[in-house]
Amino acid sequence: MAAAALLTGCGDDDAADGPVTLKVLTWEPGGAEYWKQVKTSFEGSHPDIKLEMQSVPFDKYPEVQGPYITSQSGPDVMANNAGLELFDRRGAYVPLGDKAAEITKDLVTYSGACEGFDTSKTCYGVPFSYQGNVLYYNKAVLTAAGLNPEQPPATWDEFGAACEAVKKAGKTCLALGLSGTFPAYWDFPEIARNYLTEDDIRALLAGKLSWKDPKLVSVLGKLAEITTKGWANKNAPSITMLPDGADIFQRGDAAFAGTIISDAVNWEAFGKALGDDKLGVTRWPAIDPAAPLAGKFSGIEGAVYGVTQWSEKKQAGLEFISWLAGKENGELWVKYGKGQPLNRTVDKALLPSSPAFLKIQELVAQPTLHAGVMLSGPEADALARGWQQVTLGQLTVDKWADQMQQALERSPTKKQGK
């Protein structure tokens, strides 16, 4: 019935006098200035709707969102990352039904908002940005270590050799923070591409690939190498990637940082801190260059905004998320968020000319499924916690795999085969 009210425009908000106040829960991907522009622009073209934004730091977001979902009250529109983070919380959102195709008609892709990453299945919201992980590097640090800044390491062996050279030069090789779930979303898929096929990644999504499978054990083993071989900062287990790990890179104290192409700390922030001429972008080094997905980009839509089941302003919520998918917001996203827009009608003249941004355009041209967003909440938590424990010598890789399998078996979403 809630879905019917949304799709027919017969929400309770239509009976209200004066402007409708729409409460939006977000972690402000793209930054505060971008969201200020969103509010101004949307309200300017929709005088009957006012936005009341509740911004929560990303690492605190689940703590704030959880009670709203449990009590079935609060925001009218909420954000979640595309993929299983969204699917785990799908009971909080109104399915878009046939409206999904109409709203997203100008988007390059929106499957990360739909169950099974299949747009013919139920979709719960609208994304407007493209997301994924790359390896940023500081050309000045590589030069000081006697390395060629125009030829970053392309293989795992080359990366290991580069890390040893950087360490000898007195710098951290890979800036890293392991507190929180960022390892799941950022680092895991870049290792997994060397061992998993797209069929394997879909099996991971369906909960049909055991964490004791040799492929996944190998992925965990390579993640462990990054810290056990001393390639990352020693305090990685006790700090977050944002802002702490990223700050190490921005200060010029590390050669590499594996972070995202849109939203929070990205190419623009690093370019401002280091200088555009000193910032490089590349793929993570290939462990097996012959692997089918080794040369691909792990791509996924960014945050997905959906209308909550309990909202009494569903029609206003639908208008807002439809606007988010449009050209106007796509151009705001490029100008103020400096991210990768999904809307294909965005004026190309507005795209940045930064060398890092242009290089990212090359990398994203060959996408594959993003293994990180195939992980359920219990798996993402176990991945982050296990990497911390392995780094501290408290856990073996095999025991880590056992913990991951237990987390898989606790996942309600994957138990239901979604």
Side-chain angles (χ1 to χ4, degrees):
M1 291 179 64
L6 172 61
L7 299 181
T8 60
C10 298
D12 294 344
D13 51 296
D14 293 329
D17 293 327
V20 170
T21 297
L22 197 67
K23 296 182 178 180
V24 180
L25 181 66
T26 176
W27 59 83
E28 287 194 337
E33 179 59 29
Y34 161 69
W35 284 96
K36 178 183 176 182
Q37 295 296 327
V38 165
K39 178 176 170 61
T40 300
S41 298
F42 177 77
E43 290 180 349
S45 58
H46 297 76
D48 56 334
I49 302 174
K50 298 298 180 183
L51 298 180
E52 182 180 306
M53 314 298 293
Q54 181 182 2
S55 176
V56 179
F58 180 76
D59 60 344
K60 302 295 183 185
Y61 193 80
E63 298 174 21
V64 175
Q65 187 189 42
Y68 286 139
I69 295 175
T70 301
S71 65
Q72 293 285 286
S73 64
D76 303 292
V77 172
M78 300 191 302
N80 273 113
N81 279 314
L84 271 181
E85 180 182 302
L86 172 67
F87 306 157
D88 275 349
R89 297 161 177 78
R90 64 192 182 282
Y93 295 99
V94 178
L96 294 184
D98 294 340
K99 282 284 183 181
E102 177 185 336
I103 296 169
T104 59
K105 60 183 174 59
D106 291 327
L107 298 188
V108 175
T109 173
Y110 67 98
S111 63
C114 311
E115 286 189 2
F117 293 82
D118 183 344
T119 56
S120 69
K121 296 183 179 179
T122 307
C123 303
Y124 296 99
V126 175
F128 55 83
S129 67
Y130 194 51
Q131 190 56 282
N133 198 41
V134 293
L135 194 65
Y136 294 96
Y137 61 94
N138 186 329
K139 295 181 179 181
V141 173
L142 294 188
T143 299
L147 302 168
N148 185 344
E150 303 306 325
Q151 293 184 344
T155 68
W156 198 253
D157 289 342
E158 290 175 359
F159 185 65
C163 282
E164 295 305 319
V166 169
K167 286 166 58 181
K168 286 181 181 178
K171 298 283 188 178
T172 293
C173 184
L174 180 70
L176 186 64
L178 296 179
S179 177
T181 58
F182 286 121
Y185 291 114
W186 294 0
D187 301 346
F188 168 73
E190 304 314 307
I191 304 299
R193 284 190 291 106
N194 293 271
Y195 295 97
L196 306 183
T197 64
E198 287 205 354
D199 286 343
D200 290 331
I201 295 175
R202 288 199 174 275
L204 183 68
L205 169 66
K208 295 177 180 178
L209 184 63
S210 169
W211 279 96
K212 297 183 181 182
D213 185 289
K215 293 179 179 179
L216 285 179
V217 174
S218 294
V219 173
L220 297 179
K222 286 300 181 185
L223 283 172
E225 275 189 19
I226 292 171
T227 49
T228 58
K229 287 191 173 184
W231 296 348
N233 39 293
K234 291 182 180 179
N235 65 342
S238 62
I239 66 172
T240 61
M241 188 61 200
L242 290 183
D244 304 326
D247 283 347
I248 295 172
F249 183 71
Q250 288 189 134
R251 291 196 305 266
D253 292 336
F256 300 95
T259 74
I260 48 182
I261 63 172
S262 287
D263 300 0
V265 181
N266 61 7
W267 63 270
E268 188 204 25
F270 291 148
K272 284 183 176 178
L274 303 176
D276 284 338
D277 60 324
K278 294 183 176 64
L279 179 65
V281 184
T282 187
R283 291 188 183 90
W284 275 62
I287 299 164
D288 176 10
L293 304 183
K296 301 286 188 178
F297 172 77
S298 298
I300 183 65
E301 295 87 355
V304 175
Y305 286 78
V307 180
T308 58
Q309 287 278 9
W310 56 80
S311 173
E312 296 181 350
K313 305 163 186 176
K314 293 184 175 66
Q315 182 59 29
L318 177 63
E319 288 185 43
F320 177 57
I321 66 172
S322 299
W323 180 88
L324 287 176
K327 181 177 187 288
E328 182 180 0
N329 183 51
E331 294 183 347
L332 291 177
W333 178 244
V334 171
K335 183 175 181 180
Y336 296 100
K338 305 300 182 183
Q340 318 292 312
L342 282 183
N343 190 295
R344 62 169 64 90
T345 67
V346 165
D347 184 354
K348 297 296 189 292
L350 298 176
L351 297 178
S353 58
S354 156
F357 183 89
L358 296 177
K359 181 63 178 179
I360 288 170
Q361 305 316 297
E362 294 179 23
L363 299 179
V364 302
Q366 291 185 302
T368 188
L369 295 171
H370 191 293
V373 300
M374 305 292 175
L375 303 183
S376 62
E379 287 171 296
D381 290 341
L383 185 72
R385 185 176 62 255
W387 199 356
Q388 289 174 304
Q389 292 175 307
V390 168
T391 300
L392 295 170
Q394 299 171 351
L395 196 69
T396 65
V397 170
D398 286 340
K399 290 294 185 182
W400 189 9
D402 289 340
Q403 290 186 1
M404 294 300 301
Q405 182 62 25
Q406 293 165 13
L408 167 61
E409 293 167 2
R410 293 196 306 271
S411 169
T413 305
K414 292 192 175 184
K415 281 181 181 178
Q416 295 173 30
K418 297 295 185 183

